[in-house]
Amino acid sequence: MMEIDMVAPKKMGRPSDYNEEIADWICAELAMGKSLRTICLSPAMPGRETVFRWLRQRDTFRDQYARAKAEAADALFEDILDIADDASGDYDEEGRFRPENVQRARLRIDARKWMMAKMKPKKYGDQIDMNVGGQEENPIKALIMSIQGSALMPVEDPLLNITPDED
């Protein structure tokens, strides 16, 4: 007769049960600007579906995750400075300019700017000036101020045979 080993086999694969240490690691990586997709590519990390489940089930993790994503916008800002300042690869070994390298850097910067605007719209989003007519140098305000208190005088129009009434 064959003996059956009653010891539970060691768990293999990605973690699926919530683990505070793993959650902290995920949030630290997110705050540095890494994407959740990139973080979850590691076999030591849970899959994205698991992280999304944790977010639905755990308020503290959801708050920590939201703070990390907000901090990621500032990390992306710093990435933009590094990308813009990096001129390596802009010229080949013979000194010829490589425009494709500059275009790639522009694309990387634009993608980060778009993400920052979505993550922190008040800080990095497009600002719309809703102040109409209140500026000191506003030409409409200047026109209104110049004619205020005066009556508009009728104008003679010879084509229409209109002349102002004379009292």
Side-chain angles (χ1 to χ4, degrees), residues 8 21 23 28 30 45 54 58 64 71 73 75 79 92 101 132 139-140 150 154:
E21 188 176 318
L30 287 170
M45 290 290 122
W54 293 356
R58 303 199 173 263
Q64 183 183 9
E71 291 172 14
D79 284 352
D92 64 15
N101 220 40
V132 178
I140 296 171
S150 67

Side-chain angles (χ1 to χ4, degrees), residues 33 35 73 76 110-120:
S35 70
L76 290 173
D110 287 346
R112 283 162 176 76
K113 285 171 36 179
W114 182 84
M115 290 172 49
M116 290 164 45
K118 299 300 177 192
M119 291 175 175
K120 277 190 172 178

Side-chain angles (χ1 to χ4, degrees), residues 14-72:
R14 295 176 173 269
S16 59
D17 292 335
Y18 181 78
N19 178 310
E20 196 168 321
E21 188 176 318
I22 291 174
D24 290 344
W25 178 265
I26 289 170
C27 290
E29 294 290 300
L30 287 170
M32 289 191 299
K34 285 191 178 177
S35 70
L36 182 61
R37 183 189 58 77
T38 302
I39 295 166
C40 291
L41 286 176
S42 168
M45 290 290 122
R48 286 191 310 173
E49 302 80 20
T50 300
V51 175
F52 292 141
R53 181 171 39 85
W54 293 356
L55 287 168
R56 286 189 305 274
Q57 295 173 345
R58 303 199 173 263
D59 292 339
T60 55
F61 179 58
R62 188 178 320 116
D63 294 342
Q64 183 183 9
Y65 185 93
R67 283 191 307 274
K69 292 298 272 185
E71 291 172 14

Side-chain angles (χ1 to χ4, degrees), residues 70 73-74 77 116-117 119-127:
D74 297 326
F77 178 82
M116 290 164 45
M119 291 175 175
K120 277 190 172 178
K122 287 184 180 178
K123 187 171 184 177
Y124 297 116
D126 292 332
Q127 303 298 318

